[in-house]
Amino acid sequence: MSILNVLLRHEKLLVAVDTLAQDAHTGQQSKGAKLLLIPQYNLVLACRGSAQFFLRIYELCLQASFRADFTMEQLMAELGLVIDKVWPAYVEAADRAGLPRSDLYTELVLGGWSPKNGRMMATAYAKDAGGAAAVVQVLAGGLASPGEPLRGRPESFDAAAVAEAGRLQALYLNDRAGRTVAGGNLLVARLSRGLATVEDIGLL
């Protein structure tokens, strides 16, 4: 369980994640970056779920970004198929490790500036161990995972509002799980045309 929030506007994009990571075998906790930039194309890839799977997908996205004919639109269109292709190997490895399949899931968001369309774009992807194809959703606005504790709250790019949303979500997830499954720090990527920054806006 973790936090993945997206605020999307025509000229700017914000993605926020927590940094709590947990070893599936030992339960030992650490910090992990659940969002990473592809800076030469002003793109961000972020995740909620398996960090190992996220890093594999990021590696493939980064490799694709070196192609001479690379476009973000093509990567967004192909990523659902890539997720489906890579997923069975991840499930097989989890089976060998004795992890319950009910724990296997991922939510990914790929977003950034589209020179072709002259605006920010983002797409969300979701996959679990049920065997169905990845769910692909082109985003028109914001996305909050989990969204329940943020119902009725206005969307805001203000750092204090983003931090408060993260704290509410962490409390909600930890209360539901009966243990700490979300927390650490809140990392926020802010993208606009020609600019991408990542900052730590504080403890959850």
Side-chain angles (χ1 to χ4, degrees):
M1 294 291 183
S2 51
I3 295 165
L4 174 55
N5 294 337
V6 179
L7 293 175
L8 176 65
R9 297 291 184 270
H10 190 277
E11 296 289 337
K12 57 185 178 178
L13 171 68
L14 180 148
V15 181
V17 297
D18 68 319
T19 61
L20 182 68
Q22 183 169 307
D23 188 285
H25 299 287
T26 66
Q28 185 175 3
Q29 294 183 342
S30 62
K31 285 187 177 182
K34 301 174 188 176
L35 62 79
L36 293 166
L37 297 175
I38 303 177
Q40 73 271 31
Y41 286 106
N42 206 7
L43 294 174
V44 62
L45 181 71
C47 88
R48 181 175 187 243
S50 168
Q52 288 185 334
F53 187 76
F54 165 63
L55 291 173
R56 177 58 178 148
I57 295 298
Y58 175 75
E59 178 186 7
L60 294 172
C61 290
L62 195 60
Q63 289 174 358
S65 74
F66 280 82
R67 297 193 313 235
D69 61 347
F70 175 86
T71 66
M72 65 172 290
E73 290 81 8
Q74 183 178 5
L75 179 59
M76 285 180 171
E78 294 175 350
L79 193 55
L81 298 175
V82 172
I83 289 169
D84 287 335
K85 184 175 181 179
V86 176
W87 188 256
Y90 168 63
V91 173
E92 183 179 336
D95 286 344
R96 289 197 301 268
L99 301 178
R101 287 199 172 191
S102 59
D103 290 350
L104 306 183
Y105 76 99
T106 189
E107 295 177 34
L108 298 166
V109 168
L110 176 66
W113 177 259
S114 168
K116 178 180 178 180
N117 292 281
R119 62 182 176 89
M120 285 290 167
M121 297 178 64
T123 302
Y125 309 83
K127 183 79 172 178
D128 61 29
V135 176
V136 180
Q137 178 185 3
V138 177
L139 300 181
L143 168 73
S145 292
E148 292 87 344
L150 302 185
R151 287 178 180 171
R153 290 179 60 87
E155 294 182 349
S156 173
F157 282 82
D158 179 73
V162 173
E164 178 62 17
R167 282 190 286 270
L168 290 173
Q169 289 169 301
L171 287 170
Y172 172 84
L173 286 170
N174 295 337
D175 182 65
R176 281 188 66 186
R179 58 189 177 91
T180 303
V181 295
N185 295 52
L186 196 68
L187 285 185
V188 176
R190 295 178 183 269
L191 285 74
S192 58
R193 184 175 184 178
L195 180 65
T197 63
V198 177
E199 59 181 328
D200 179 342
I201 65 171
L203 290 168
L204 290 170

